[in-house]
């Protein structure tokens, strides 16, 4: 998306959709910048010198509502113009005669005038199209005549009446600048060759006077027309040869302006749209200097004289949000839009403005006429049953910590908000109710006193219906410390009990990681015990124990011999060996340096995950045949680390407290 303009609280946005490559769809918003309607499809885009994307849409300066756009139609790019901010578009009528006065045979819609609409990225060139607010209606652009926009056989064209009619002023590309607040034009040939001359016009390009500005031909790099009160000065910079230093040439045009303009030097002209005097709901009359009067306009010059509102007509209204144009003026609902559906904030007993399918164009100043017919009509809000009820947490997570606030948000897509009762059941025997929707928009807070998985249920009801939403929240508790009980001495081939006691006992789901030293002999003995079903667990009913072996890292297979690195056969054997090793590790889980024991609880609502494990009848029995030396197993209290709700047990000399735990 490219934001093109935000003038007058209205947004012009160019959006590239999934099926577009070098084109964009042009959307225009209402006065709030919220609801958009389609103004033109497949507007052409191009790349600038710095690689930035340029949307080929141009707003004519000095007159509201006039835009030019290049649209791609059947793989041809054509130039269109609008006088009412994109409601209606039409092709440009080509000039009647060419630069030499010969008739131009160009019949719409097969042939028209097409313009290059790229603004200059270089501040020292005029760009391919330009207009000026102090010279309303005057537009100068590079383009061509034909069935589509072309980059060959181009010339320079000018319009003095806001794009209604066009004349050709050059048959090659020229840079054209505005002098004297738009009262005069200066042109310089756009060429890589050195130049000595420039052209000045006082009659909007009908005639040009040629002036020499340097005695030696100059390779022109750019020019700058100075702004401010004195707008009769132009600075040209370039170089005399490819190896010479830069040269600055200051051109002063004061001498060709004989005097200041008086009221007798001006004439009036009416802004028209193909003969229609009302443009954007107004009749506008401008004044401009008479052709041939070589007088200076001055800073106090103002182009506009008279502006009065017009009676509202069809072309002053565009289709509202959710509506599409069929034919010249009819706006019908789009397939995805339900015009009978009021706003979500609409409650029974209130009123809302229901669109007729039309809205007056932003900045249009028409009055009376069809304005009342197309204006939105006030209607009473109908009652609506609750629909689309949702309950979520403020942070979007489904895990909360025991003893801390859990905040819930109730959302409803449709419903009579002011007459809907909301009930929220937290799943722990506590529920709250609200008489209307508004007091709970900031969230409902609740503190859980025990761990577990709780079903949170929201229920909305009014006299037209009801709706229900459910959320499952996992409440966890921090692990404070873990105590490992191991006998001081054990006998080889004898059963030994190892138990872990976790505090507090009501923690929910726990994951235990057990390390039995780093001795390979111990690991092989433990594997044999597992394969012979000699490792036993005696736990309370409802507890599920999952036992599997895993590893953290796998040592890479490296061939350190440089002499064999070029052998294709050795490389092939290495690949086969690695694949076989991975398969054996996966299939038989051999030679893995530790074992993980996971304990998981099968629970129902408000049932705790797992209790503490102690040396009792429910203590798990781990039978290890050929156990290691007794000095390696001492009765120790072990330090714990908690990561993502998993209690990790490692060797240490003392027991430490764990400040908190995060979600599983």
């Amino acid at each position: 998306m490219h934001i093109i303009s935000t003038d007058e609280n209205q947004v012009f946005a160019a959006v590239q959709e999934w099926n577009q490559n070098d084109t964009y769809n042009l959307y225009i918003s209402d006065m709030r910048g919220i609801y958009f309607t389609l103004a033109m499809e497949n507007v052409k885009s191009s790349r600038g010198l710095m690689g930035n994307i340029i949307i080929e849409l141009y707003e004519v300066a000095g007159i509201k509502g006039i835009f030019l756009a290049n649209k791609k139609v059947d793989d041809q790019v054509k130039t269109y113009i609008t006088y009412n901010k994109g409601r209606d578009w039409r092709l440009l009528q080509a000039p009647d005669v060419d630069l030499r006065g010969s008739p131009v045979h160009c019949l719409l819609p097969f042939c028209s005038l097409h313009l290059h609409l790229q603004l200059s990225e270089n501040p020292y060139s005029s760009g391919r199209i330009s207009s000026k607010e102090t010279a309303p209606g005057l537009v100068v652009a590079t383009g061509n005549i034909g069935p589509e926009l072309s980059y060959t056989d181009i010339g320079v064209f000018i319009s003095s009446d806001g794009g209604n009619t066009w004349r050709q002023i050059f048959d090659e590309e020229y840079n054209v600048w505005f002098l004297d607040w738009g009262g005069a034009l200066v042109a310089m040939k756009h060429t890589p060759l050195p130049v000595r001359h420039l052209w000045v016009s006082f009659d909007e390009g009908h005639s040009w006077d040629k002036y020499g500005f340097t005695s030696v031909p100059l390779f022109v790099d750019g020019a700058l027309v100075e702004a401010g009160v004195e707008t009769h000065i132009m600075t040209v910079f370039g170089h005399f040869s490819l190896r010479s230093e830069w040269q600055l040439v200051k051109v002063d045009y004061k001498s060709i302006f004989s005097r200041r303009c008086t009221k007798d030097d001006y004439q009036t002209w009416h802004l028209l749209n193909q003969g229609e005097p009302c443009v954007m709901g107004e009749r506008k009359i401008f004044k401009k200097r008479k052709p041939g009067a070589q007088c200076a306009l001055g800073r106090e010059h103002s182009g506009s004289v008279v502006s009065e509102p017009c009676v509202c007509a069809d072309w002053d209204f565009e289709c509202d949000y959710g509506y599409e144009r069929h034919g010249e003026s009819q706006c019908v609902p789009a397939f995805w839009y339900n015009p009978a559906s009021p706003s979500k904030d609409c409650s029974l007993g209130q009123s809302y403005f229901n669109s007729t399918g039309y809205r007056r164009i932003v900045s249009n100043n028409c009055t009376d006429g069809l304005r009342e017919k197309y204006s939105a009509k006030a209607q009473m809000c109908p009652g609506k049953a609750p629909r689309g009820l949702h309950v979520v947490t403020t942070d979007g997570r489904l895990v909360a910590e025991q003893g801390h606030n859990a905040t819930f948000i109730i959302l409803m897509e449709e419903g009579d908000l002011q007459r809907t009762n909301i009930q929220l059941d937290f799943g722990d025997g506590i529920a709250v109710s609200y008489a209307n929707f508004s007091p709970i928009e900031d969230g409902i807070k609740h503190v859980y006193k025990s761990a577990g998985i709780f079903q949170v249920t929201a229920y909305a009801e009014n006299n037209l219906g009801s709706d229900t939403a459910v959320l499952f929240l996992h409440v966890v508790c921090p692990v404070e410390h873990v105590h490992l009980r191991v006998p001081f001495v054990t006998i080889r081939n004898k059963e030994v009990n190892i138990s872990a006691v976790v505090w507090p006992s009501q923690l929910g789901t726990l994951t235990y990681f057990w390390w039995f030293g780093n001795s390979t002999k111990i690991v092989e003995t433990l594997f044999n015990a597992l394969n012979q079903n000699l490792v036993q667990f005696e736990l309370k009913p409802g507890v599920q124990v999952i036992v599997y072996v895993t590893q953290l890292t796998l040592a890479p297979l490296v061939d350190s011999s440089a002499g064999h690195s070029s052998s294709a056969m050795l490389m092939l054997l290495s690949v086969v060996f690695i694949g076989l090793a991975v398969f054996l590790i996966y299939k038989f889980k051999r030679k893995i340096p530790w074992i993980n024991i996971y304990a998981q609880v099968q629970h129902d609502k408000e049932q705790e995950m797992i209790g503490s494990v102690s040396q009792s009848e429910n203590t798990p029995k781990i039978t290890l045949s050929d156990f290691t030396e007794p000095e390696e197993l001492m009765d120790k209290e072990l330090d714990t680390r908690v990561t993502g709700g998993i209690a990790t047990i490692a060797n240490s000399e003392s027991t430490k407290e764990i400040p908190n735990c995060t979600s599983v």
Side-chain angles (χ1 to χ4, degrees):
M1 174 183 289
H2 293 262
I3 302 301
I4 298 175
S5 171
T6 57
D7 294 341
E8 300 171 323
N9 298 325
Q10 186 179 39
V11 179
F12 272 86
V15 180
Q16 189 170 62
E17 303 189 26
W18 66 272
N19 59 337
Q20 296 176 308
N21 293 321
D22 59 347
T23 61
Y24 285 73
N25 288 345
L26 179 65
Y27 289 86
I28 187 170
S29 77
D30 57 1
M31 290 192 65
R32 297 180 297 169
I34 299 177
Y35 294 104
F36 288 77
T37 56
L38 182 63
M40 173 176 274
E41 293 182 302
N42 297 322
V43 178
K44 184 73 171 65
S45 67
S46 56
R47 292 279 181 177
L49 296 176
M50 304 302 294
N52 56 306
I53 296 178
I54 299 174
I55 308 298
E56 296 191 18
L57 175 73
Y58 180 78
E59 182 177 6
V60 177
I63 305 177
K64 293 181 180 179
I66 302 181
F67 289 83
L68 292 160
N70 282 336
K71 179 179 180 179
K72 195 171 185 180
V73 182
D74 297 331
D75 294 329
Q76 290 184 328
V77 178
K78 300 176 182 288
T79 301
Y80 291 79
I81 190 170
T82 179
Y83 288 84
N84 50 14
K85 277 196 170 181
R87 180 197 185 273
D88 302 299
W89 297 87
R90 60 178 173 84
L91 295 168
L92 296 180
Q93 178 65 58
D96 295 330
V97 296
D98 60 14
L99 192 60
R100 288 167 289 277
S102 302
V104 174
H105 301 285
C106 186
L107 182 64
L108 291 173
F110 310 103
C111 174
S112 59
L113 174 64
H114 309 284
L115 304 177
H116 293 274
L117 303 181
Q118 297 94 342
L119 296 177
S120 175
E121 297 182 271
N122 181 1
Y124 306 110
S125 64
S126 65
R128 291 186 162 184
I129 184 169
S130 58
S131 60
K132 197 173 184 66
E133 189 172 355
T134 57
L138 197 61
V139 186
V140 182
T142 301
N144 66 282
I145 299 173
E148 63 176 329
L149 183 66
S150 173
Y151 290 88
T152 60
D153 298 329
I154 60 177
V156 180
F157 298 84
I158 189 170
S159 175
S160 302
D161 54 7
N164 278 278
T165 60
W166 295 83
R167 293 176 285 109
Q168 186 173 2
I169 55 177
F170 296 109
D171 57 2
E172 294 180 273
E173 190 169 0
Y174 276 72
N175 285 312
V176 180
W177 292 271
F178 291 82
L179 291 179
D180 188 32
W181 307 99
L185 300 175
V186 58
M188 184 180 299
K189 191 173 184 179
H190 184 76
T191 175
L193 301 177
V195 296
R196 293 181 59 246
H197 300 91
L198 48 77
W199 285 259
V200 179
S201 175
F202 291 92
D203 55 5
E204 299 177 343
H206 286 279
S207 62
W208 295 86
D209 295 324
K210 185 178 181 180
Y211 292 90
F213 68 94
T214 176
S215 58
V216 180
L218 184 71
F219 290 93
V220 177
D221 296 317
L224 178 64
V225 177
E226 297 182 9
V229 178
E230 299 295 336
T231 57
H232 305 148
I233 297 176
M234 180 178 182
T235 303
V236 182
F237 59 94
H239 47 276
F240 293 129
S241 67
L242 297 178
R243 297 183 179 181
S244 68
E245 297 179 349
W246 273 17
Q247 305 294 325
L248 296 180
V249 180
K250 186 176 183 180
V251 182
D252 192 345
Y253 295 93
K254 290 181 180 179
S255 60
I256 61 176
F257 293 95
S258 58
R259 56 184 173 80
R260 280 295 183 103
C261 293
T262 65
K263 62 179 182 179
D264 296 331
D265 295 314
Y266 294 99
Q267 65 180 11
T268 60
W269 69 279
H270 296 256
L271 174 64
L272 304 176
N273 176 16
Q274 289 186 321
E276 170 58 47
C278 291
V279 176
M280 291 292 290
E282 290 181 307
R283 291 185 180 90
K284 291 185 178 181
I285 303 175
F286 298 88
K287 67 175 182 179
K288 60 183 177 181
R289 187 174 49 192
K290 293 179 180 179
Q294 291 190 214
C295 60
L297 294 176
R299 186 175 185 178
E300 66 278 2
H301 168 69
S302 177
S304 180
V305 177
V306 177
S307 177
E308 61 180 14
C310 297
V311 176
C312 291
D314 286 332
W315 53 77
D316 296 313
F317 297 86
E318 62 186 355
C319 290
D320 204 349
Y321 172 77
Y323 290 81
E324 298 175 344
R325 184 175 303 282
H326 284 208
E328 290 293 329
S329 302
Q330 186 180 10
C331 295
V332 298
F335 72 93
W336 49 267
Y337 182 71
N338 180 13
S341 177
S343 169
K344 296 180 181 179
D345 300 328
C346 192
S347 297
L348 186 64
Q350 298 179 343
S351 62
Y352 72 102
F353 285 96
N354 190 17
S355 174
T356 60
Y358 303 85
R359 67 185 185 195
R360 192 170 58 160
I361 298 170
V362 176
S363 302
N364 188 294
N365 293 322
C366 73
T367 184
D368 299 330
L370 297 177
R371 182 175 180 178
E372 180 64 25
K373 175 183 176 181
Y374 288 147
S375 297
K377 303 298 187 293
Q379 295 184 7
M380 297 301 297
C381 296
K384 300 178 66 175
R387 190 183 69 83
L389 187 67
H390 301 280
V391 54
V392 297
T393 58
T394 52
D395 56 5
R397 301 171 62 231
L398 299 179
V399 177
E401 192 171 312
Q402 177 184 332
H404 292 74
N405 272 329
T407 305
F408 301 93
I409 301 293
I410 306 296
L411 304 174
M412 189 163 59
E413 296 179 4
E414 287 186 6
D416 186 10
L417 305 183
Q418 300 301 324
R419 288 172 171 79
T420 298
N421 296 325
I422 301 292
Q423 180 178 353
L424 186 63
D425 186 348
F426 299 107
D428 60 351
I430 300 176
V432 294
S433 298
Y434 293 90
N436 55 63
F437 195 74
S438 56
I440 60 175
E441 291 179 354
D442 295 332
I444 303 173
K445 300 183 183 299
H446 181 67
V447 177
Y448 286 90
K449 298 181 179 180
S450 60
I453 296 180
F454 299 92
Q455 177 177 310
V456 182
T457 305
Y459 179 75
E461 181 183 23
N462 61 19
N463 57 352
L464 297 177
S466 62
D467 197 6
T468 304
V470 174
L471 175 146
F472 289 92
L473 185 70
H474 189 182
V475 179
V476 296
C477 177
V479 175
E480 295 184 7
H481 49 268
V482 177
H483 182 77
L484 182 64
R485 293 179 178 177
V486 183
F488 287 97
V489 178
T490 184
I491 302 175
R492 184 188 300 272
N493 296 328
K494 296 295 184 180
E495 180 182 281
V496 61
N497 290 334
I498 303 174
S499 61
V501 180
V502 181
W503 180 262
S505 60
Q506 299 177 350
L507 289 176
T509 301
L510 290 179
T511 301
Y512 294 84
F513 288 82
W514 296 79
W515 282 268
F516 295 96
N518 57 1
S519 170
T520 304
K521 179 171 62 175
I522 294 177
V523 174
E524 291 179 351
T525 302
L526 184 59
F527 286 173
N528 292 332
L530 283 173
N531 294 332
Q532 299 173 22
N533 294 323
L534 298 178
V535 178
Q536 301 178 5
F537 296 91
E538 296 181 3
L539 297 177
K540 63 182 181 180
V543 175
Q544 178 183 0
V545 178
I546 304 173
V547 181
Y548 66 92
V549 291
T550 183
Q551 68 173 12
L552 296 180
T553 59
L554 188 63
L557 298 176
V558 179
D559 184 5
S560 60
S561 175
H564 296 282
S565 61
S566 61
S567 173
M569 184 59 71
L570 182 59
M571 182 65 70
L572 180 60
L573 292 176
S574 300
V575 172
V576 173
F577 177 74
I578 293 173
L580 182 60
V582 171
F583 174 78
L584 291 176
I585 291 174
Y586 174 78
K587 187 69 176 178
F588 301 102
K589 298 182 173 62
R590 301 298 303 269
K591 297 185 178 181
I592 300 176
W594 41 65
I595 177 173
N596 290 351
I597 302 177
Y598 277 57
Q600 182 178 358
V601 176
Q602 304 297 328
H603 63 277
D604 54 13
K605 181 178 179 181
E606 299 193 20
Q607 178 183 350
E608 298 306 325
M609 300 300 106
I610 186 171
S612 61
V613 182
S614 60
Q615 298 231 12
S616 64
E617 293 181 357
N618 293 331
T619 301
K621 297 182 179 180
I622 305 178
T623 305
L624 302 178
S625 59
D626 298 329
F627 207 74
T628 185
E629 290 74 16
E631 62 268 20
E632 294 190 12
L633 290 178
M634 302 287 294
D635 185 12
K636 295 181 180 180
E637 292 184 347
L638 301 184
D639 178 33
T640 64
R641 292 178 290 110
V642 180
T643 304
I646 298 177
T648 305
I649 302 178
N651 291 329
S652 179
E653 293 296 331
S654 63
T655 300
K656 297 182 180 180
E657 292 187 358
I658 303 303
N660 53 42
C661 65
T662 57
S663 62
V664 176

